[in-house]
Amino acid sequence: MLLWTQMWLPVSPGGLLSSLVTLHVLRLGSADFTVVGRDRPLRVTVGWYVVLPCHLSPRADARSLDIRWIRRHVSETVHHYRNGEELYREQMEEYVGRTELVRDGLSRGRLDLRIWGLRPSDDGQYVCTVTDGASSGEATVDVEVAATGSVPQLSLEAYEDGGIRVVCRSAGWYPQPEVLWKDPNGQRLPSISQRHSSDERGLFDIEGIIVVTGNRHGKWSCVVRNSHLNQQQETSLHISAPFFHIARPWMVGVGVLLVLSLVFLGLGAYLWRRKGLQSRELEERDALLEKRVAGLKACRKFLLPHHPDVVTLDPNSAHPELLLSADGRSVRWGRARQDLPDTPERFTYWCCVLGQEGFREGRHCWGVEVKGELGGDAWWAVGVARDSVDRKGYMNLSPEGGIWAVQNWKGCFVSLTSPHTSLSPIPIPRRFWVCLDCMQGEVTFIDADSGVEIFTFPSASFNGEIIRPWFLLEKEENELCLRDSTS
């Protein structure tokens, strides 16, 4: 009763105003920021890395906050940061040495987490939680890990029920794929049985079996498909009618005699004709080789013009951590962030820079030389980008995000397709050409020393948009230099 009476005792106007301000501040304290994640899943490749995007809204300095990334399904800590310090005591064992908070963005309210060496077990939902005294918030990011397996291997393994048992095998998939068959008429059929197994990395091997009967001889195809990410590998095998005859015991004797007769007749005809045809075949082979050499020379002449484009770097687009040479012909990464104006043209998330020149039509080619290590901590990418590419937030480094490029990360050389395409066993080039065909929508990379094509992206539609040279550099071990020639 005493407490109730005290709550209604009269107070001075100044005291009342102070109390109201205090209550208002307390109410604001529980909702003074919102944590924003990503509304679409991130699709990434096994063995590569991913940056999980997360930021505060409105933007605010996050360096003094308590930031914790956790796995949703186990509620365990992936990475913990508090008031400028990384706290590893609570970290899940499988993430030890594989995570880092991207600190460059903390002052601008970015809470991004980078995870290296992706594994199938990294697939799932991550939660970014932020605490600041009485205030807190969280957001989620979904990660879909993928691995495209090997080209299927087909084998004829046994005769069964008057037909032939055909087995299709493939390895190295994630998530678990399925096997479908296409008959000679192009109709899809399921396997009569499928078996899956996983290796020590968590990748799936698959085996599918079908029985082909004699009235369906011809070209049979095995398609291994990851329906979750719409990826597939396919291989074919032609099964001719004589194989099915052997499957019928009463025809074995007749089949053997017929085959032996055909062998002897064929051998006699072959020996009789071989002497006369040998010289003609050699002449035709030499002519074909000369034609192919001439074609390769013409192709290389087409791709590599005598007067390549002179490309320079655009300082207005350069990330503040990139250092450009005075002539705009080379770029390297510096640890210190330069005090540059945050204009709409400037990259502020990825350490990227565009070329000064933009192309909308015709064919263009320029040389790039990589100085420094190709292994170790090297991280660079070179290619082209749409002029409208996102320069402020997390950018999808693929044609879907407006990027066509090749990338070297710690000696792993890939094309930035979605998912990435490994370019091994091609050695990482120090000097190469970047060739852009605006008319055909093609981007090609060629080793400047050997003239060998490194990779060509599938034809794309640029829709008349300006396409510009694009460079990414995240480590100080390298310098990217533009060249007018490959000499």
Side-chain angles (χ1 to χ4, degrees):
M1 190 66 182
L2 180 60
L3 177 61
W4 179 265
T5 304
Q6 288 177 340
M7 291 180 64
W8 289 96
L9 288 176
V11 295
S12 66
L16 178 61
L17 179 60
S18 176
S19 300
L20 290 174
V21 170
T22 302
L23 287 172
H24 182 64
V25 170
L26 289 174
R27 291 184 61 192
L28 288 178
S30 61
D32 58 358
F33 63 79
T34 302
V35 183
V36 181
R38 179 182 168 94
D39 56 0
R40 292 179 292 109
L42 283 169
R43 292 181 175 176
V44 294
T45 306
V46 170
W48 205 236
Y49 71 94
V50 65
V51 177
L52 308 185
C54 183
H55 67 269
L56 299 178
S57 179
R59 306 280 180 174
D61 193 335
R63 287 175 291 186
S64 62
L65 300 183
D66 188 309
I67 304 166
R68 187 190 300 265
W69 282 87
I70 64 175
R71 289 298 301 268
R72 170 71 81 187
H73 72 290
V74 294
S75 297
E76 292 191 42
T77 299
V78 174
H79 195 92
H80 190 192
Y81 168 96
R82 184 171 61 211
N83 197 25
E85 183 181 1
E86 311 281 351
L87 305 176
Y88 295 104
R89 293 185 300 274
E90 306 167 23
Q91 188 177 37
M92 295 174 64
E93 183 177 353
E94 63 183 280
Y95 288 97
V96 172
R98 298 174 52 220
T99 63
E100 67 172 345
L101 203 67
V102 184
R103 293 201 178 198
D104 293 346
L106 285 173
S107 61
R108 305 187 306 279
R110 299 208 63 90
L111 320 170
D112 304 341
L113 179 72
R114 182 178 285 119
I115 304 176
W116 306 95
L118 285 167
R119 306 168 182 174
S121 59
D122 296 330
D123 187 274
Q125 190 173 78
Y126 294 75
V127 183
C128 172
T129 66
V130 181
T131 305
D132 181 20
S135 302
S136 64
E138 67 176 41
T140 60
V141 178
D142 289 305
V143 174
E144 295 180 353
V145 180
T148 303
S150 61
V151 175
Q153 299 294 318
L154 288 176
S155 59
L156 308 179
E157 299 217 340
Y159 294 108
E160 185 175 309
D161 299 329
I164 301 173
R165 186 170 66 192
V166 185
V167 181
C168 175
R169 297 184 178 91
S170 184
W173 292 84
Y174 191 86
Q176 182 174 295
E178 62 176 338
V179 173
L180 293 175
W181 299 83
K182 287 195 293 187
D183 67 11
N185 297 322
Q187 302 229 340
R188 297 210 166 193
L189 301 171
S191 300
I192 61 172
S193 70
Q194 286 191 24
R195 289 184 297 201
H196 299 87
S197 61
S198 59
D199 59 20
E200 65 280 359
R201 298 172 297 169
L203 301 179
F204 288 98
D205 301 343
I206 189 169
E207 177 182 284
I209 299 174
I210 198 170
V211 175
V212 180
T213 56
N215 61 345
R216 306 182 78 176
H217 57 83
K219 178 183 175 183
W220 282 79
S221 299
C222 170
V223 180
V224 182
R225 185 176 66 183
N226 182 335
S227 58
H228 182 59
L229 296 178
N230 196 27
Q231 301 168 350
Q232 68 179 39
Q233 295 272 31
E234 180 176 347
T235 193
S236 301
L237 176 68
H238 187 87
I239 304 177
S240 57
F243 281 101
F244 301 98
H245 297 158
I246 300 175
R248 301 170 186 171
W250 61 272
M251 296 192 67
V252 172
V254 176
V256 170
L257 291 175
L258 180 61
V259 170
L260 289 175
S261 300
L262 291 174
V263 168
F264 282 117
L265 287 173
L267 181 61
Y270 171 75
L271 292 175
W272 182 75
R273 295 181 59 190
R274 180 175 178 179
K275 186 174 181 179
L277 292 176
Q278 190 173 28
S279 59
R280 188 184 306 169
E281 289 176 354
L282 290 173
E283 291 175 1
E284 291 176 354
R285 186 182 305 170
D286 291 342
L288 180 61
L289 287 174
E290 289 179 4
K291 185 177 180 180
R292 288 180 177 175
V293 169
L296 288 173
K297 289 180 178 178
C299 179
R300 187 177 181 189
K301 182 178 180 181
F302 171 77
L303 290 172
L304 306 180
H306 293 295
H307 302 288
D309 293 82
V310 178
V311 173
T312 55
L313 302 173
D314 177 12
N316 294 323
S317 69
H319 187 279
E321 292 177 8
L322 293 181
L323 304 176
L324 276 58
S325 62
D327 61 359
R329 300 282 285 164
S330 66
V331 57
R332 59 187 178 86
W333 181 78
R335 291 185 177 275
R337 190 181 184 91
Q338 303 172 85
D339 185 15
L340 298 175
D342 186 7
T343 60
E345 295 83 10
R346 190 175 305 283
F347 289 96
T348 55
Y349 186 83
W350 294 97
C351 290
C352 302
V353 61
L354 294 173
Q356 188 82 43
E357 296 71 25
F359 308 107
R360 182 174 282 155
E361 57 186 21
R363 301 183 182 94
H364 306 273
C365 196
W366 56 91
V368 178
E369 180 178 356
V370 181
K371 292 185 177 180
E373 296 183 18
L374 295 181
D377 288 332
W379 184 8
W380 52 263
V382 173
V384 300
R386 294 184 184 272
D387 189 54
S388 61
V389 69
D390 185 8
R391 310 188 191 192
K392 300 301 180 184
Y394 179 83
M395 181 169 50
N396 183 2
L397 301 183
S398 70
E400 288 78 6
I403 300 290
W404 292 262
V406 294
Q407 177 174 265
N408 172 31
W409 175 70
K410 295 188 176 182
C412 181
F413 193 40
V414 300
S415 65
L416 295 183
T417 51
S418 181
H420 297 161
T421 301
S422 173
L423 299 179
S424 60
I426 297 175
I428 302 173
R430 283 202 175 275
R431 301 187 303 160
F432 53 91
W433 292 100
V434 182
C435 300
L436 169 66
D437 189 333
C438 296
M439 180 174 60
Q440 299 296 328
E442 290 185 348
V443 182
T444 300
F445 300 85
I446 299 175
D447 189 312
D449 294 316
S450 65
V452 173
E453 178 183 315
I454 299 170
F455 186 79
T456 296
F457 279 83
S459 296
S461 175
F462 298 143
N463 296 322
E465 185 173 346
I466 293 176
I467 305 298
R468 299 172 65 180
W470 175 85
F471 308 85
L472 177 147
L473 195 59
E474 290 275 359
K475 297 292 182 179
E476 59 187 342
E477 282 75 9
N478 297 107
E479 181 178 5
L480 300 178
C481 305
L482 289 158
R483 297 287 182 246
D484 296 335
S485 68
T486 58
S487 58

